[in-house]
Amino acid sequence: MTINKALSVIEPQNIKYNCLATLISVVLSTSIIGCSTDSAQNVESVSSSDASQKASAVDVFANEKVLTSLINFNSEDKRSWVNSNKTQFSYISNNTDNKLAIEFLNTENISELVIEPKAPWDLSDVKNYNLAFDVKNTGDESVHLYLKVQTPEGQYQTRSISLPTDYNGTVYFPLEGKEGKTDTGMWGDARPWQTNNSLMVWRSWKSASDDFSVIKSLSFFTIGILKNKSVVIDDIRIRENPESDPKWMVGVIDKYGQNAKRNTVLDVKSDEQLKAIANKELAELAKSKGMPDRSKFGGYTKGPKLEATGFFRTEKINGKWWMVDPEGNIFFSHGPANVRMANMTTITGIDYNDSSIREKSSDEITPEDSMGIIKIPNNIRKDNYVISELRHNMFEWLPSYDDPLAEHYSYRRSTHKGPVPYGETFSFYRANLERRYGETTPESYVKKWHQVTADRMHDWGFTSFGNWVDPAFYQSEQVPYFANGWIIGDFKTLSGKKNHWGLMPDPYDPVFAERAKITIDAIAKNIQSSPWCAGIFIDNEKSWGEREGSVHARYGVILDALSKSVEESPAKKAYSAHLKEKYKNIDTLNSAWNTEIANWNSFDKGADFFERVSYSKQHVNDLSKMLEMLGEQYFIVVHNTLEKALPNHLYMGARMANWGMPDEIIKASLKYSDVLSFNIYEEGMQDHFWKFLEEVDLPVVVGEFHIGTATDSGMYNPGIVHAANQENRAQMYKNYMESVLNKPYMVGAHWFQYIDEPISGRAFDGENANIGFVTVTDIPYPEMIKAVKEVTSNMYQQRYEN
């Protein structure tokens, strides 16, 4: 899924490994890129050519200009601003200098410490500034540290960084000025200045219009850590930004879609080099025999022989849940999700005057970000113009329309996030595949990619693809897969407090059921009852609401439904009938809810409770029940439609994100899901936080997880969970999988995603993270593949025999 380039000290043994990986695993026929150490202050992995440039560069913060101090912990009065019951903290004193020591606890899912002054910090008199603080990692592992800056109005932005072991330096990020406010359309930008300070990245998308001239509080926290982490923090301050670089975000992407400003050990410099790398890997894959003791479906042949039904199913064996492959072998589903190129294009900053290219139909069943390459007619393409200078100027090279590589241009009719609402796109990844393998017949390089990808899965020991796999794999009978579909259309919707990926469908609307049938029938047609289909995912990370927090945060979709009339909202009609049956008369409802609704007719026209400051206990209980009803109606529609069209395949549940999995929805899903699925972007599955799944007693898969880094990857954003470097990333992956494999209810874990996202951001939403097993030039990360093989070669033995 950069702004976070300053994270990692590469130790001598890691230097040896990286250089060895370069020499052995990667053929660099024209030149060998060297490896070098860097200062602990800068914590940045660079090539030798980069290092020589850095040596002569001036650190722009060497003589920093502090505009105001927020807190330095020397004053007893200011220390009273610090509060936490979810961390352990103390003060380290050195004569008159006090520092804040924090231990983040693995017994908390979010271990948080809040600093809130008696009066908000007012920065309205200063302009063009960044927030900085000094920090030391005092533990023996890297720390993924978050910082949330919040205003009195409740606006906030969250930044984060991975601090390697022994890190001791200054961390910063721009709050105001061009570097802090520019929306580049990406999760992470190129670093704005040359400095030894370490830059924190956005947690996700920017809200560049938010005003942070007044700050209510600062919160330091960790999420989902497996071991306690400790840091020492001091001197939180506001500094003046250095002079803006006129070349910032200009020419930052090279012709291969790589970072043009920084070299890494896996960088490609020529087509000849890329072909040589490909040929070496092809020769190695040809010799691979895969993992031993595997059935053709990837099941464990040394386990018990169970009933073979010809399709994947689940069974509990000796207290542990398993999937069972079509031949009756126990099966654990592990592999990458999003093995496709549909969302590997990036916005070029060009658009066309002919708006017909943006036309959509309500009959479509493919979401915008799942569209493949859209061929653009020449009569439309020739009438182009620059819609965004900033975007267009990022690229050192884009092919002319008469270049053979121009076939990798496409179009996005709409975007989810970012300053460019639609426009031309280009896929560097597809272009690099053509450079690697050539084109003997139309798109022969894509067919080659399919085969190489399947061969890699076997060689690496993966047992399946996760969600969002290219349908070309459906009938290839090489790797088990999970089919997927989105229910989209012109049905009624509901809006929660936050709608991450879109509004919540109203499942009571008959049009929703119609669209569900159309989507699921299309999936069934693609699958053709293949035994290689391990299960079906429908939709992803719906806007159910939050598990904890305010009434608005938890039950926003229900409050929205109640505010509508029964004529416009099918959900409101269902809730009105439910409440009339329960309370009989409006006075009883008013007494329970502490409201003054005139009559049922008034209620049916719309009852707006959004402005309420407090809610009675019974009101909240009823909102909870209605959310459960919403979930049950959704699952009834999806499950029953799947049951008719695909009776032999597992329904994998709703792929709930850990930020959006209300207990009511989990409860509703239990009756209708064969397997529960959760997208868990944390350092691992904490035993205490997920213990409720033992009582649920259903098999569970992790639908998505990943760990990335923006140091030695050259990427601008690490992704959701940060590592210090590639070595640390590989170790964190192994730690995560250990936490999954030791839980009796887990039957799978899918890494998101197979390929690094475009460094200039995927076209739909700007995500640009180092979260792939392979780079934009399709070169595997050797540290990650080594770690994958260590896990997959032993996961069946570990899970079954222990």
Side-chain angles (χ1 to χ4, degrees):
M1 181 142 322
T2 165
I3 265 187
N4 190 13
K5 291 183 176 177
L7 306 183
S8 158
V9 178
I10 297 186
E11 299 174 354
Q13 61 267 34
N14 294 344
I15 295 171
K16 290 179 182 178
Y17 181 82
N18 284 336
C19 289
L20 186 63
T22 305
L23 292 168
I24 295 177
S25 299
V26 181
V27 177
L28 299 174
S29 57
T30 55
S31 64
I32 299 295
I33 299 173
C35 300
S36 65
T37 58
D38 204 355
S39 70
Q41 286 290 103
N42 193 37
V43 285
E44 189 173 293
S45 168
V46 294
S47 71
S48 55
S49 59
D50 260 357
S52 61
Q53 294 174 9
K54 284 177 63 65
S56 60
V58 176
D59 186 340
V60 296
F61 289 119
N63 296 302
E64 65 177 39
K65 182 177 180 181
V66 176
L67 300 176
T68 185
S69 172
L70 299 183
I71 185 171
N72 61 16
F73 308 109
N74 290 331
S75 160
E76 184 176 345
D77 180 57
K78 290 185 177 180
R79 290 197 296 271
S80 69
W81 301 352
V82 179
N83 180 53
S84 176
N85 60 5
K86 293 190 174 184
T87 68
Q88 293 179 355
F89 68 94
S90 60
Y91 297 96
I92 298 175
S93 179
N94 181 12
N95 295 325
T96 59
D97 184 30
N98 288 283
K99 303 178 189 294
L100 174 64
I102 311 172
E103 183 172 12
F104 297 102
L105 307 176
N106 67 352
T107 54
E108 302 286 345
N109 184 248
I110 299 178
S111 182
E112 182 177 27
L113 177 142
V114 179
I115 302 174
E116 183 172 349
K118 295 175 181 177
W121 291 293
D122 189 346
L123 306 177
S124 55
D125 290 337
V126 296
K127 305 295 180 185
N128 204 33
Y129 52 86
N130 64 91
L131 187 152
F133 59 94
D134 299 333
V135 59
K136 181 179 181 180
N137 178 0
T138 54
D140 56 5
E141 292 185 347
S142 66
V143 181
H144 182 182
L145 179 67
Y146 293 85
L147 170 59
K148 180 169 73 174
V149 181
Q150 186 162 327
T151 72
E153 293 74 32
Q155 294 177 336
Y156 67 88
Q157 63 171 253
T158 303
R159 303 275 186 149
S160 59
I161 191 170
S162 178
L163 304 174
T165 307
D166 297 328
Y167 178 84
N168 187 6
T170 298
V171 168
Y172 81 103
F173 57 92
L175 263 176
E176 291 291 336
K178 181 178 80 172
E179 296 78 9
K181 305 296 286 185
T182 300
D183 186 353
T184 65
M186 307 190 307
W187 260 12
D189 306 329
R191 66 177 179 185
W193 302 293
Q194 181 67 50
T195 177
N196 288 328
N197 291 186
S198 302
L199 186 62
M200 300 188 89
V201 304
W202 289 85
R203 172 65 166 88
S204 57
W205 295 287
K206 293 182 180 179
S207 299
S209 61
D210 287 351
D211 180 8
F212 288 91
S213 60
V214 179
I215 298 174
K216 176 187 177 183
S217 63
L218 303 173
S219 301
F220 292 94
F221 60 99
T222 58
I223 301 179
I225 57 176
L226 297 176
K227 295 181 179 179
N228 287 4
K229 305 293 179 77
S230 57
V231 299
V232 173
I233 291 173
D234 192 24
D235 194 14
I236 306 174
R237 57 201 185 272
I238 297 296
R239 308 183 301 184
E240 184 176 74
N241 288 345
E243 182 179 352
S244 293
D245 181 356
K247 294 295 184 181
W248 178 62
M249 298 306 301
V250 175
V252 294
I253 315 297
D254 74 9
K255 66 181 291 186
Y256 295 99
Q258 304 169 133
N259 190 327
K261 303 297 185 183
R262 294 179 57 229
N263 293 327
T264 75
V265 294
L266 297 184
D267 273 1
V268 166
K269 298 301 182 184
S270 71
D271 291 5
E272 293 74 22
Q273 178 190 351
L274 186 56
K275 290 175 183 176
I277 293 168
N279 289 337
K280 183 176 190 301
E281 185 189 14
L282 291 175
E284 292 172 346
L285 289 173
K287 294 183 291 185
S288 173
K289 298 184 184 300
M291 294 293 169
D293 306 321
R294 300 282 179 92
S295 72
K296 72 175 185 178
F297 293 102
Y300 187 46
T301 57
K302 284 195 171 181
K305 196 66 178 177
L306 306 171
E307 180 186 1
T309 63
F311 294 93
F312 281 91
R313 62 184 183 85
T314 62
E315 184 174 334
K316 196 172 188 180
I317 305 165
N318 298 328
K320 290 182 181 179
W321 278 102
W322 288 92
M323 292 182 73
V324 180
D325 78 12
E327 296 179 327
N329 302 293
I330 57 174
F331 180 87
F332 188 85
S333 175
H334 184 36
N338 216 34
V339 184
R340 60 178 184 169
M341 290 181 277
N343 61 356
M344 287 302 296
T345 65
T346 191
I347 292 285
T348 66
I350 295 293
D351 195 32
Y352 315 121
N353 283 311
D354 190 337
S355 62
S356 65
I357 197 170
R358 293 192 290 278
E359 292 177 358
K360 296 184 180 182
S361 168
S362 60
D363 294 332
E364 295 178 7
I365 61 173
T366 304
E368 191 68 22
D369 65 332
S370 293
M371 295 281 186
I373 292 293
I374 298 171
K375 300 298 183 182
I376 306 160
N378 287 331
N379 64 311
I380 290 179
R381 190 159 60 182
K382 68 182 181 181
D383 191 15
N384 66 69
Y385 68 97
V386 177
I387 191 173
S388 170
E389 293 279 357
L390 185 147
R391 289 290 308 178
H392 196 54
N393 290 339
M394 290 182 188
F395 305 99
E396 286 188 333
W397 171 91
L398 286 168
S400 61
Y401 291 152
D402 59 358
D403 189 301
L405 294 179
E407 66 179 275
H408 306 294
Y409 280 114
S410 186
Y411 196 82
R412 277 283 175 262
R413 300 171 298 174
S414 62
T415 60
H416 179 60
K417 296 283 185 180
V420 182
Y422 40 72
E424 178 186 271
T425 70
F426 185 75
S427 175
F428 285 97
Y429 185 71
R430 277 176 57 103
N432 288 331
L433 292 178
E434 184 172 352
R435 288 161 170 154
R436 283 175 70 98
Y437 304 122
E439 186 175 34
T440 54
T441 59
E443 295 194 347
S444 61
Y445 54 87
V446 175
K447 296 181 179 66
K448 187 66 176 179
W449 175 78
H450 288 143
Q451 187 57 55
V452 170
T453 299
D455 290 343
R456 285 172 174 170
M457 297 303 104
H458 292 294
D459 180 57
W460 299 351
F462 284 135
T463 58
S464 73
F465 294 122
N467 199 30
W468 295 310
V469 61
D470 189 329
F473 290 106
Y474 283 11
Q475 302 305 321
S476 67
E477 298 190 349
Q478 296 185 83
V479 182
Y481 63 88
F482 292 82
N484 77 283
W486 282 89
I487 304 173
I488 58 176
D490 289 339
F491 41 75
K492 301 290 186 179
T493 58
L494 301 170
S495 177
K497 183 177 181 181
K498 287 185 179 180
N499 304 295
H500 192 73
W501 293 110
L503 300 176
M504 181 68 205
D506 183 341
Y508 291 97
D509 187 345
V511 178
F512 177 78
E514 294 170 8
R515 298 301 298 172
K517 184 177 187 305
I518 290 170
T519 293
I520 290 168
D521 284 348
I523 296 171
K525 184 178 179 180
N526 283 335
I527 291 172
Q528 300 175 23
S529 295
S530 170
W532 291 84
C533 177
I536 316 291
F537 286 111
I538 301 295
D539 289 336
N540 179 63
E541 298 185 344
K542 308 305 290 182
S543 299
W544 306 105
E546 298 177 15
R547 195 178 191 194
E548 299 177 343
S550 68
V551 171
H552 291 172
R554 287 179 289 158
Y555 305 117
V557 291
I558 307 304
L559 294 174
D560 185 45
L562 295 178
S563 71
K564 301 176 186 296
S565 72
V566 293
E567 284 81 15
E568 75 170 301
S569 171
K572 172 60 177 293
K573 185 176 181 180
Y575 296 148
S576 180
H578 163 71
L579 293 169
K580 288 173 184 177
E581 174 66 23
K582 178 176 181 178
Y583 288 105
K584 309 304 181 185
N585 63 72
I586 199 69
D587 291 336
T588 308
L589 175 70
N590 281 328
S591 176
W593 286 15
N594 193 24
T595 53
E596 297 179 354
I597 303 168
N599 49 51
W600 284 119
N601 185 53
S602 175
F603 180 82
D604 284 348
K605 288 181 179 179
D608 190 343
F609 302 107
F610 280 107
E611 299 303 319
R612 290 183 71 86
V613 177
S614 63
Y615 297 78
S616 72
K617 181 179 180 180
Q618 189 55 47
H619 196 168
V620 174
N621 289 342
D622 285 334
L623 293 174
S624 174
K625 178 60 179 177
M626 286 183 276
L627 181 61
E628 184 182 336
M629 290 170 58
L630 182 82
E632 181 146 343
Q633 179 65 20
Y634 172 89
F635 290 113
I636 286 172
V637 170
V638 174
H639 171 271
N640 291 355
T641 309
L642 277 169
E643 185 69 20
K644 290 178 181 178
L646 293 159
N648 297 314
H649 295 284
L650 298 171
Y651 173 36
M652 306 299 294
R655 289 174 58 84
M656 286 178 272
N658 50 344
W659 45 259
M661 54 174 204
D663 290 337
E664 296 88 347
I665 301 303
I666 295 174
K667 181 180 178 182
S669 72
L670 300 183
K671 304 177 197 175
Y672 305 100
S673 304
D674 296 309
V675 181
L676 300 182
S677 52
F678 299 90
N679 298 346
I680 306 174
Y681 285 107
E682 299 180 358
E683 291 191 11
M685 293 188 68
Q686 294 176 312
D687 292 340
H688 67 90
F689 190 72
W690 298 97
K691 193 171 183 60
F692 72 92
L693 291 175
E694 295 180 13
E695 300 174 7
V696 166
D697 198 26
L698 277 177
V700 179
V701 298
V702 175
E704 295 178 22
F705 78 103
H706 68 221
I707 299 109
T709 181
T711 56
D712 46 4
S713 70
M715 299 291 285
Y716 296 143
N717 192 284
I720 297 177
V721 181
H722 300 193
N725 52 34
Q726 292 298 326
E727 282 286 330
N728 184 224
R729 182 183 182 218
Q731 183 59 52
M732 289 178 68
Y733 155 78
K734 292 195 291 184
N735 294 345
Y736 191 107
M737 285 304 300
E738 181 75 19
S739 77
V740 171
L741 290 166
N742 67 18
K743 291 177 173 53
Y745 47 82
M746 296 305 300
V747 297
H750 302 156
W751 173 282
F752 186 90
Q753 60 180 25
Y754 178 48
I755 312 158
D756 273 345
E757 293 173 321
I759 191 172
S760 48
R762 62 185 188 185
F764 187 62
D765 56 16
E767 288 190 16
N768 64 336
N770 165 230
I771 54 179
F773 290 116
V774 301
T775 70
V776 68
T777 55
D778 203 40
I779 298 174
Y781 286 98
E783 300 91 343
M784 286 299 297
I785 305 313
K786 178 175 180 286
V788 165
K789 289 183 177 182
E790 290 174 2
V791 168
T792 59
S793 63
N794 189 50
M795 66 183 183
Y796 279 124
Q797 296 90 321
Q798 175 182 345
R799 184 168 172 76
Y800 175 67
E801 298 174 8
N802 293 340

